[in-house]
Amino acid sequence: MTRYARWIAGLAGLALAAALPAGNGAKAVEVQHVITPLGLEAWLIQNDRIPVISIEFAFPGGLTTDPEGKEGLTNLVSYLLDEGAGNIESRDFQNLLNDRAIDLYFTPGVDHFYGTMRTTALHAEEAFDLLRLALTAPRFDAEAVERMRAAVLADIRRTVADPSWMARRAFYEVAYPGHPFGRPSRGTAATLGGLTTDDLHDFVARRFTRDGLVIGVAGDIDADTLAIALDTVFGALPETSDFEPIAPPGPPPVGESILVQRDGPQSSMLVVQNGVDREDPDYYAALVMNQILGASALRSRLGRELRERRGLTYGITSWLRETELVDLLMVAGQLSNENVPEALTQTRAVWLEMAQGGVTEDEVSDSVAYLTGSFPLLFTSSEGIAGMLVWAQLEGMGIDFIEDRTARLEAVTADQVSRLAAELLDGDGLTAVVVGNPPDAFQADTVLSAEEMAERELDAGL
Amino acid sequence: MPLCTRASVFSTAAAALIGLQTLASPAHSGVFEPEMFELDNGMQVVVVTNRSAPVVTHMVWYRVGAADETPGVSGIAHFLEHLMFRGTDSLDDGEFSRIVGRNGGQDNAFTSWDMTAYFQNVAVDRLPLVMEMEADRMVNLALDADIVDTERSVIIEERRERIDDNPSSRLSEQMLAALYQNHPYGRPIIGWEHEMAELSLEDAAEFYETWYAPNNAILIVSGDIDAAELRPLAERIYGPIPSRPVPERARPQEPEVAIARRIVLTDPNVQQPSWRRFYLAPSYARGATEHAYALQVLNEIFGAGTTSRLYEALVLDQGIAVGAGSAYSPVYFDETEIGIFVAPNGDVDPEVIEAAVDAEIALLLSEGVEEWEVESAKERLVLAAIYARDSLGGPARTLGRALTAGVGIDVVEEWPERIGAVTADDIMAAAHAVLRPGRSVTGLLLPGDPEAETGQESAQ
């Protein structure tokens, strides 16, 4: 192992701090803005009570940037960065991580490529050095590439058997044909088989760069030490990235019904309509609206109507799906086949009622209280904090994001949510995807077969 | 929403769940250093201070779970857990979670074989509120016939979602049913569907009145609070609830069967086959308990992560699997199991997988473990344990599981020393005691037509 000669030497980075109240304001969570000697920036919440350090970072560009025919490239890279780097082969690299209990993993998102590392303070030096190697000199040895190709294929095999995955897959495929949003993000057996070592090296060279890099750190490390570590890890990366931004797709379909035939006791239901952009002035009102609508099965209109009153389903949840190019409002639930028509009728009724009748002051104040009050609960582990710091930066928020978010939520009124609901919610315009064997009362415009969809993903094209 | 925890049995991470350590804080001698006291009515109280954020996790654990159900009423422990959210004499249906939500909190509950637990994560200044509500539903649950009917549909949908529509869960359910021939760990936590369909208001009321008493409950609070701050609240809010006699937890134990069992599940929805095996194994509390810590180290060497013997042999050296590992948690009231899980690579025949696993076990039993393997496994376990403190709810869950599994907090607090004391000889004694075919069930998950093959249990 190489060690940092300069680890303790104080090449002090510049640290600006903002003290922010959390929760009831009894205590301050201090977010520090760290600027390294090389000019990298990171947000840090220091906590020396537990000897653990977590770092999360994001590079721009995610799953949708895979070129046509090379679907699955981003995902495969995320499997391989800890499988050997520099002159350390896969087994030795894994041994170094495991023996020091260093967690290192990479996660491709739709818009970003994320990395996360958690280490005990005891092994921080080695951990940062292994991270540097993983990002700058991954080996992509043939043995590891083949092993991870097989692992991804096994993942695809497992998920094509999952009806809720199949529902999302069917929606994106029908909604965005030909667009990256409509293509399989982990690839198919065929595209996965075609990826080469050159593709992998090329990805790393063009995509792991310093522009657009966002970093969040939490735990037992001070700003000066972190600044040096960050320069060591990320300092050698190229300045600018090189990848084609993708064009936005058209709007999602309105009022479509899609059936994916599959045998089993239950159907998986996915209901979708257009959502609200992060930059939209109504964005925070949309967050509140979603709370009232269905964010929690125990405390929402959908939960009350479908679960509490009618016992149609165990879990029903709605969420705002925000990405850079596509914003959706989605609802998912799993229920017995015979209950599908009633569940869809009730979902449309909930939509109609809110669009026409609006929301109450109590519903808004309860939801705002939940969204603001539960926010500090996300700050109770170093991994959670590091993730929040990256999230806030990607959302374009300032270092005062905790207060800012609270203020924006508290400014939302019942009138605003009711107006938004009237404009946005379109019960008849909902697109419904059902994966299962529902009764004929569910009439589909498009009928697919789960078996054929699975075969398509798994056909190696030989 | 209420859920049953099965992850504790199946996830590899659970193997290290109980082990937590503060290596780099020499001032600490224990793991979480909880403060403990007992109320006059017998309610046990545990406090773990963590001042990282002004929030707390408030939990009430009952020493009762699915393994304490009367035969024929399977699922009642979990059903009652759902009904606990549906109203008391003073709170309307669903009001509990709505109040927690509007106070910026999150709430839920979970049921396992040995325990039922309810929790809320809230700002510390809202702690008295959730304590009042939790104390209220310990004694004032209101059961309504219509609500019982609706909620019964919900749990049946939950069973279908978790198990019936998931071939992998169905296989594990059947393997446990075959492994435990006499002990109720062989029954699914959520219940058998035909018995769930008959669960009544009276069943729920009887279970509630039998088991939900302060002297059968443990209050655990972790976060921005200490015992001096919590004690007056606990005495005022939970203290007045009268204690009452609660039955002994006596479950029928397993016979010596000495027959290897095999379960094959074929399902057209399966695309990725799976091979697994469960062996009966001691818990901290029952069976050959002297082997429990050694088995944790053995599990680490044999099947934890990408540097384990199983992964090296099956995935790296032979290339016949894409994943291979084992899982073991001794935090159970009665004898439990250690599991081995393999995902074959492509179309590799499960027989080939089984032969390779058996060869690794044979090698282990004949050649033993190397000293360096033992030392590095112990070091990893203790290091990874530091992370357990890096959480609000983790310490509370770990302590709650231990206390409801019939052991003291010493199994948590002294865990690093006990793991540290394990020797290679201990590991081999444990391996020989546990890895016996006659105490095992092997399971296969295969794609195909269920009619074409027997899905039945058969002696090997």
Side-chain angles (χ1 to χ4, degrees), chain A residues 112-136:
Chain A
H112 293 89
F113 189 98
Y114 297 91
T116 308
M117 187 178 74
R118 185 173 66 164
T119 176
T120 57
L122 201 63
H123 294 301
E125 291 175 45
E126 294 105 313
F128 279 115
D129 207 46
L130 290 168
L131 175 58
R132 174 185 66 80
L133 281 173
L135 289 174
T136 54

Side-chain angles (χ1 to χ4, degrees), chain A residues 27 47 50 91 94-95 98 101 147 157 161 262-263 266 299 308 314 336 366 369-370 374 381-382, chain B residues 2 52 86 97 101-102 105 150 157 160-162 165 224 269 271 306-307 311 316-317 380 387 389-390:
Chain A
K27 291 226 177 57
N47 174 2
I50 297 159
R91 270 181 222 220
Q94 289 290 319
N95 275 321
N98 285 3
R147 184 158 43 83
R157 285 203 169 112
R262 176 185 184 271
D263 283 334
Q266 281 189 321
R299 296 184 311 267
E308 265 180 39
Y314 164 63
S336 288
D366 285 1
Y370 174 76
S374 63
S381 72
S382 63
Chain B
S52 294
R86 305 218 54 180
S97 293
R102 83 167 66 108
T150 314
E157 289 298 329
R160 289 180 181 159
E161 180 172 336
R162 287 181 186 279
D165 209 13
D224 192 8
N269 286 325
Q271 297 284 352
T306 53
T307 50
Y311 189 92
L316 294 176
D317 292 340
R380 280 199 303 277
Y387 295 134
R389 288 171 59 219
D390 184 18

Side-chain angles (χ1 to χ4, degrees), chain A residues 2-13 36-38 40 125 129 132 222 224-236:
Chain A
T2 46
R3 299 250 168 192
Y4 294 131
R6 301 184 305 163
W7 181 256
I8 305 295
L11 258 182
T36 72
L38 289 179
L40 292 163
E125 291 175 45
D129 207 46
R132 174 185 66 80
D222 63 59
D224 291 348
T225 314
L226 176 64
I228 296 162
L230 293 179
D231 277 352
T232 315
V233 173
F234 300 103

Side-chain angles (χ1 to χ4, degrees), chain A residues 415-437:
Chain A
D415 284 349
Q416 190 188 2
V417 177
S418 296
R419 178 191 44 77
L420 174 66
E423 288 168 11
L424 187 71
L425 298 182
D426 176 11
D428 294 329
L430 290 172
T431 285
V433 186
V434 173
V435 179
N437 194 9

